């Protein structure tokens, strides 16, 4: 076995650099003659821009320039695009509202950009921004998606009647109606999937630089892959060939989907850099992040589940209202529709499903992908209504799931919504989790907790998600004569451990020293092929491309070895870094072959020097990670405070490359899911559209002492859709945790007749539910 190869719990090599302060994050980048930008943002959620007077700001000390929407419009700067070709249920195309980088004529959410000030120092830019006089004509605002559709609600876009952005459906409506008509029982539930703010540790930022000699820009930004931004900046914004734009990304302190997108500040920094002939830097502050980062979730859903007399699912009907914010983000309409809705089938054999999604505009920050990107929202609906059905039918939460699971023998399985699951053993995951959680011992623990005045509950949620499919990835492996190996790939580490994982793959397959492998990402001038990090595709797609390049290197190495040893190429074997003539002791090591590959005199006719190879991987389909979460918690009935006391996860991620890093991904995702379930909520004032949770003083984040030690195990059921047999793991924890946690809260509150608690299940919310239930019981 190769040291640090596939399947071994290798510690992350990048951590030494990152934890000792040697990382190279965006704010560490300082360019010669760098100036600083500050963005003036709207204090109104909805208003006409009557007048902007920036003369005093332009005359302020240190100011190099003040730019408004009129300046960008005059220069022909394009609008931020929406890249989703969605169709409404009547076949009409999605109509995309214009989103300029700096507002023109009207602002539509608190934080919308009104002007940009560039100065020698950040302090001077901020001081000058206060001198800008803006006359607003305030308009009625709407922040709630349900109220947005009400008769007489303020209109955000003239073309969008009742603020409806789109009306989209999927599934078989007629068949679903038949199944409900024939059902023995129908279970209904109304759910809120609360809005959350990504809150990456490193805020967004940008440095725009312009080279007049080359006639091209360089954007330094904290991204999840620069090629997509380059394409939009060149084609949609500045309308130049792509080779006129370079995007550079160093170390990235978290993204969660939010750093995939093109933001106004990136455009502003690049525009100002060309206008002023100097690099322009903007570093976002935490208040900027709360106001202007793309938010996540914010759905309201009514779901109905039809069952026969034996508890078998017959049909599912889901109606969701999805908040899109004031503008479309790059992929905003995709998240509640195509990205998530296909997973409303869950792990179950439900034969008929119909889904209706209405997207609405509000005077709030735009929404887009956030860890899981539609799949957590879908799984929350499925697992909450399945638990409600268990309570109404009297079946246990495990039994109702067991009766409806897709069996392994049915794989590959096409769901009612068209997804084809390639593999999965759902009952085994659940059974393993039940055993690990000591589900059978729960009644005794509940009784003991009651003696202490605590309400104890246990909740289960299974999940399946689709990820690791979509676009292709291309990887290059390059050797140098000194023994170094470089992997070049277009996706971008945001802290997931790409440097370690790709090095493991190369070391395992080529038998080179793990420490000799370096991973190069984040520069569109060096990385010739586009790529991105999103949808848990780094290993299944990117890793498969790396594996393909390694296989090509082995093939080239065999040809060179055969030439050097005067043997037939078909007789050359390769294993553990050694080329060998089969059945003999005549060998050449990989190191020897690498050195020989740079010696033209030793190469066979027609072979190019070096062992460098490139491979492209097009996914045959998505990967479908799946698993079971079990949450056990206690509620203080006097205060409503929730304490999670046990948490168990059993997952199936296919073939495991690095179990140590895998556990880290699951832990992080699970904590984010628990955060949404119990603590996090982005709140706007319903009347004014003001953000009420604009700092960590108002927005509650989970902390280390809010969660227990997780019990984590996995079953390896190889994926059939990629050569590594892996399934994506980056988002799974955030998909399984919210319904498991809320199911446990509801279970704890069962004695009060409470059947639903919306996220986040805060102490105040729970206390009010208990108080109201107690008053009702007393009245009866």
């Amino acid at each position: 076995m190769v040291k640090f190869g596939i399947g071994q719990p290798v510690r992350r090599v990048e951590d030494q650099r990152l934890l000792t302060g040697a990382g190279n994050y965006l704010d560490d980048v300082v360019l010669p003659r760098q100036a600083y930008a500050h963005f003036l943002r709207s204090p109104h959620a909805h208003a006409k821009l009557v007048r902007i007077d920036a003369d005093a700001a332009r005359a302020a000390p240190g100011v190099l320039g003040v730019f408004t929407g009129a300046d960008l419009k005059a220069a022909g700067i394009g609008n931020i695009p929406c890249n989703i070709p969605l169709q409404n249920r009547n076949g009409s195309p999605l109509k995309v509202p214009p989103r300029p980088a700096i507002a023109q004529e009207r602002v539509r959410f608190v934080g919308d950009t009104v002007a940009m000030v560039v100065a020698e120092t950040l302090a001077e830019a901020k001081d000058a921004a206060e001198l800008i006089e803006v006359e607003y004509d305030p308009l009625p605002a709407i922040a709630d998606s349900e109220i947005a559709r009400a008769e007489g609600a303020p209109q955000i876009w003239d073309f969008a009647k009742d603020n409806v952005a789109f009306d989209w459906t999927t599934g078989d409506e007629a068949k679903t109606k038949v199944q409900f008509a024939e059902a023995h029982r129908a279970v209904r539930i109304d759910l809120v999937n609360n809005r959350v703010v990504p809150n990456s540790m490193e805020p967004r930022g940008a440095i725009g630089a312009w080279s007049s000699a080359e006639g091209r820009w360089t954007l330094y930004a904290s991204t999840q892959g620069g090629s997509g931004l380059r394409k939009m900046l060149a084609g949609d914004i500045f309308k130049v060939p792509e080779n006129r734009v370079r995007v550079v990304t160093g170390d990235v302190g978290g993204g969660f989907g939010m750093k995939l997108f093109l933001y106004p500040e990136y455009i502003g920094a690049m525009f100002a850099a060309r206008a002023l002939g100097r690099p322009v830097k903007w570093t976002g502050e935490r208040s900027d992040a709360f106001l202007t980062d793309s938010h996540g979730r914010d759905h309201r859903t009514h779901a109905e589940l039809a069952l026969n007399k034996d508890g078998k699912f017959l049909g599912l009907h889901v109606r969701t209202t999805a908040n899109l914010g004031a503008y479309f983000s790059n992929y905003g309409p995709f998240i509640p529709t195509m990205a998530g809705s296909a997973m409303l089938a869950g792990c179950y054999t439900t034969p008929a499903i119909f889904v209706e999604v209405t997207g609405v505009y509000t005077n709030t920050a735009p929404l887009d992908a956030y860890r899981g990107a539609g799949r957590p929202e879908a799984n929350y609906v499925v697992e909450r209504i399945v638990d409600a059905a268990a309570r109404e039918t009297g079946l246990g939460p495990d039994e109702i799931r067991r009766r409806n699971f897709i069996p392994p023998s049915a794989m590959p399985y096409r769901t009612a919504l068209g997804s084809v699951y390639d593999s999965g053993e759902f009952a085994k995951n659940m059974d393993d989790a039940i055993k690990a959680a000591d589900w059978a011992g729960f009644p005794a623990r509940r009784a003991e907790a009651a003696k202490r005045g605590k309400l104890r509950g246990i909740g289960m949620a299974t999940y399946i998600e689709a990820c690791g499919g979509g676009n292709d990835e291309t990887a290059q492996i390059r050797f140098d004569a000194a023994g170094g190996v470089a992997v070049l790939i277009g996706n971008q580490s945001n802290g997931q451990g790409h440097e370690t994982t790709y090095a493991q793959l190369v070391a395992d397959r080529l038998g080179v020293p793990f420490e000799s492998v370096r991973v190069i990402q984040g520069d569109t001038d060096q990385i010739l092929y586009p790529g991105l990090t999103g949808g848990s595709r780094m290993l299944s797609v990117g890793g498969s491309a790396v594996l393909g390049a390694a296989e090509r290197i082995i093939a080239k190495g065999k040809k060179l070895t055969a030439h050097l040893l005067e043997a037939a190429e078909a007789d050359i074997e390769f294993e553990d870094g050694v080329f060998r003539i089969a059945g003999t002791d005549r060998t050449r090591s990989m190191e020897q072959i690498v050195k020989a590959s740079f010696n033209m005199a030793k190469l066979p006719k027609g072979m190019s020097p070096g062992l460098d190879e490139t491979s492209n991987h097009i996914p045959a389909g998505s990967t479908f990670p799946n698993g079971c979460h079990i949450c056990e918690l206690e509620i203080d009935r006097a205060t409503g405070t929730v304490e999670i006391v046990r948490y168990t996860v059993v997952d199936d991620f296919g073939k495991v490359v690095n179990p140590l890093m895998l556990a880290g991904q699951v832990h992080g995702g699970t904590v984010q899911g628990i955060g949404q379930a119990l603590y996090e909520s982005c709140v706007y004032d319903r009347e004014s559209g003001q953000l009420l949770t604009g700092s960590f003083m108002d927005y509650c984040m989970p902390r280390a002492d809010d969660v227990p030690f997780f019990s984590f195990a996995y079953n390896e059921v190889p994926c059939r859709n990629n050569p590594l047999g892996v399934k994506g793991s980056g988002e799974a924890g955030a998909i399984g945790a919210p319904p498991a946690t809320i199911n446990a809260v509801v279970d704890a509150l069962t004695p009060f007749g409470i059947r639903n608690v919306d996220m986040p299940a805060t102490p105040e919310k729970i206390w009010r539910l208990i108080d109201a239930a107690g008053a009702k019981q007393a009245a009866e």
Side-chain angles (χ1 to χ4, degrees):
M1 179 183 288
V2 175
K3 185 179 181 182
F4 302 139
I6 292 176
Q8 299 182 41
V10 181
R11 291 183 178 274
R12 297 176 8 142
V13 295
E14 49 267 75
D15 285 354
Q16 178 66 27
R17 179 182 83 252
L18 301 177
L19 295 175
T20 57
N24 184 38
Y25 294 94
L26 180 68
D27 205 45
D28 295 317
V29 178
V30 179
L31 301 181
R33 301 180 64 243
Q34 179 175 280
Y36 296 85
H38 177 72
F39 290 88
L40 180 66
R41 305 193 185 279
S42 170
H44 298 280
H46 199 194
K48 292 180 181 178
L49 287 172
V50 178
R51 181 180 63 89
I52 300 177
D53 185 347
D55 289 346
R58 291 188 177 97
V63 172
L64 302 171
V66 179
F67 304 96
T68 66
D71 297 315
L72 270 64
K73 184 177 182 179
I77 303 303
N79 293 319
I80 295 173
C82 173
N83 299 318
I84 302 303
L86 196 73
Q87 285 190 335
N88 292 297
R89 74 164 76 200
N90 64 6
S92 63
L94 181 72
K95 189 168 183 179
V96 179
R99 186 187 181 189
I102 302 179
Q104 302 165 9
E105 300 177 359
R106 187 179 293 196
V107 292
R108 287 181 166 85
F109 70 98
V110 173
D112 213 350
T113 306
V114 175
M116 174 177 60
V117 181
V118 181
E120 295 286 357
T121 69
L122 179 59
E124 288 173 329
K126 287 183 174 182
D127 287 346
E130 294 185 2
L131 301 176
I132 298 176
E133 296 181 12
V134 183
E135 183 181 344
Y136 297 95
D137 181 8
L139 299 169
I142 189 72
D144 182 271
S145 59
E146 287 292 312
I147 298 176
R149 298 178 61 189
E151 184 177 352
Q155 287 293 113
I156 297 172
W157 296 100
D158 293 339
F159 66 83
K161 186 177 183 297
D162 298 327
N163 295 309
V164 172
F166 57 79
D167 179 18
W168 180 90
T169 65
T170 189
D172 190 327
E173 182 177 15
K175 185 176 179 180
T176 303
K177 285 182 177 179
V178 170
Q179 294 292 80
F180 270 86
E182 297 177 353
H184 173 74
R185 179 195 304 267
V187 177
R188 297 170 176 83
I189 194 168
D190 289 295
L191 301 168
V192 173
N193 208 295
N194 45 317
R195 179 187 283 237
V196 291
V197 180
N199 281 312
S200 58
M201 285 196 293
E202 178 201 25
R204 290 186 299 109
I207 304 174
W210 168 257
S211 170
S212 57
E214 297 179 318
R216 72 195 297 250
W217 284 275
T218 297
L219 171 68
Y220 298 84
S222 181
T223 78
Q224 291 178 223
S227 59
L229 290 182
R230 178 182 62 180
K231 183 177 181 179
M232 288 185 281
L233 285 165
D236 296 291
I237 305 303
F238 295 107
K239 301 165 187 173
V240 297
E242 279 192 52
N243 62 13
R244 296 273 302 279
V245 177
R246 175 190 181 197
V247 179
V248 178
T249 299
D251 291 318
V252 180
F256 312 123
M258 176 270 295
K259 288 182 180 175
L260 274 171
F261 316 124
L262 178 60
Y263 290 93
E265 296 88 358
Y266 305 170
I267 300 166
M270 294 172 69
F271 176 84
R274 182 175 63 173
L276 300 174
R278 292 178 60 173
V280 175
K281 182 174 188 176
W282 170 73
T283 300
E285 299 178 1
R286 189 57 62 182
S287 58
D288 294 303
F290 275 103
L291 285 170
T292 65
D293 285 356
S294 62
H295 294 168
R297 319 298 191 224
D298 205 345
H299 293 181
R300 293 177 180 269
T301 296
H302 175 77
E304 301 179 4
L305 179 66
L307 303 91
N308 70 12
K309 60 182 178 58
D310 297 319
K312 287 283 289 182
F313 303 159
L314 300 178
L316 177 66
H317 184 195
V318 177
R319 297 197 304 270
T320 291
T321 299
N323 193 343
L324 276 298
Y327 307 94
F328 287 154
S329 180
N330 297 148
Y331 307 99
F334 177 67
I335 306 308
T337 56
M338 296 176 283
S341 291
M343 302 318 298
L344 283 163
C347 302
Y348 309 111
T349 57
T350 313
I353 303 174
F354 182 59
V355 183
E356 303 173 85
V357 181
T358 303
V360 299
Y361 297 111
T362 62
N363 294 114
T364 63
L367 291 95
D368 211 313
Y370 171 70
R371 198 171 193 167
R375 286 101 71 198
E377 295 93 314
N379 194 65
Y380 186 72
V381 173
V382 173
E383 292 301 299
R384 290 288 292 112
I385 199 167
V386 167
D387 236 50
R391 295 185 187 282
E392 287 201 23
T393 59
L395 296 172
D398 57 332
E399 179 58 27
I400 197 169
R401 288 174 170 85
R402 198 182 315 280
R403 292 187 185 191
N404 289 280
F405 277 148
I406 301 164
S409 60
M411 300 295 179
Y413 182 86
R414 181 178 293 275
T415 73
L417 291 172
S419 296
V420 179
Y421 300 165
D422 70 292
S423 59
E425 298 180 8
F426 310 138
K428 178 172 174 51
N429 292 334
M430 184 180 70
D431 290 340
D432 288 353
I434 286 172
K435 182 177 179 181
D438 186 21
W439 189 285
F442 174 72
R445 296 193 295 276
R446 170 175 267 173
E448 186 277 330
K451 294 177 181 178
R452 295 183 282 108
K454 304 287 186 179
L455 302 167
R456 197 164 180 124
I458 192 167
M460 170 190 296
T462 60
Y463 77 91
I464 186 168
E465 65 144 329
C467 61
N471 295 336
D472 60 331
E473 287 277 359
T474 299
Q476 296 177 294
I477 300 179
R478 297 178 183 172
F479 283 83
D480 62 57
V485 188
V487 177
L488 293 86
I489 194 163
N491 55 37
Q492 178 68 47
S493 179
N494 301 161
Q496 300 95 331
H498 290 200
E499 294 176 44
T500 302
T501 306
Y502 288 144
Q504 276 188 266
L505 295 180
V506 172
D508 184 272
R509 192 67 191 99
L510 298 182
V512 298
F514 175 82
E515 57 273 11
S516 72
V517 182
R518 62 192 181 98
V519 176
I520 300 174
Q521 299 176 301
D523 186 340
T524 56
D525 272 8
Q526 291 191 66
I527 310 300
L528 304 181
Y529 302 93
L532 60 86
T533 291
S536 298
R537 63 198 315 273
M538 166 264 172
L539 188 55
S540 61
V541 187
S544 294
V546 170
L547 183 66
E551 295 297 340
R552 292 188 175 195
I553 286 169
I554 292 170
K556 190 172 183 180
K558 285 182 177 180
K559 185 174 183 178
L560 180 53
T561 302
H563 175 73
L564 295 174
L565 297 180
E566 298 180 336
E569 187 177 338
D571 292 335
I572 304 299
E573 299 175 336
F574 178 77
E575 187 177 3
D576 292 342
V578 176
F579 295 92
R580 180 188 309 273
I581 299 177
T584 76
D585 60 357
R586 297 183 64 195
T587 64
R588 288 290 187 275
S589 68
M590 177 62 81
E591 181 181 6
Q592 290 172 314
I593 292 300
V594 170
K595 289 182 178 179
S597 74
F598 287 96
N599 187 337
M600 293 298 294
K602 293 185 176 182
L603 298 182
K605 186 176 181 180
M607 180 178 282
S608 58
L611 290 185
D612 303 351
E613 286 291 345
T614 299
S615 179
N616 174 267
H617 179 72
I618 302 174
S622 296
T623 75
F624 294 94
N626 56 89
C628 180
H629 286 227
I630 296 178
C631 176
E632 190 169 333
L633 50 77
E634 290 184 351
I635 297 175
D636 186 325
R637 62 187 301 164
T639 64
T641 302
V642 176
E643 179 186 7
I644 297 176
V645 293
R646 298 173 69 138
Y647 203 98
T648 305
V649 182
V650 176
D651 286 314
D652 163 20
F653 295 123
K655 179 68 176 176
V656 173
V657 172
N658 187 321
L660 184 65
M661 290 174 58
L662 177 66
Q665 286 289 323
V666 173
H667 291 175
T670 300
V671 171
Q672 267 183 288
I674 291 171
Q676 181 181 5
L678 298 181
Y679 308 107
E680 299 184 49
S681 186
C682 178
V683 180
Y684 285 89
D685 182 81
R686 285 192 167 202
E687 295 183 1
S688 68
Q690 292 292 326
L691 181 64
L692 303 181
T693 52
S695 75
F696 288 138
M697 295 294 289
D698 317 298
Y699 186 96
C700 185
M701 293 280 283
R703 299 176 178 173
D705 60 354
D706 290 323
V707 294
F709 180 82
F710 297 131
S711 170
F712 169 58
Y714 53 83
N715 292 309
E716 291 187 279
V717 182
C719 177
R720 303 174 187 178
N721 289 338
N722 63 77
L724 283 165
V726 300
K727 302 174 184 178
S729 64
E731 297 160 291
I735 295 170
T741 303
I742 296 301
N743 284 342
V745 170
V746 171
D747 184 61
L749 298 176
T750 298
F752 296 95
I754 295 168
R755 293 292 180 262
N756 185 43
V757 180
D758 285 323
M759 298 187 291
T762 60
E764 179 193 13
K765 186 179 294 182
I766 292 173
W767 182 88
R768 290 186 182 278
L769 286 170
I770 292 173
D771 185 60
K776 181 179 179 182
Q777 290 175 354
E780 293 173 349

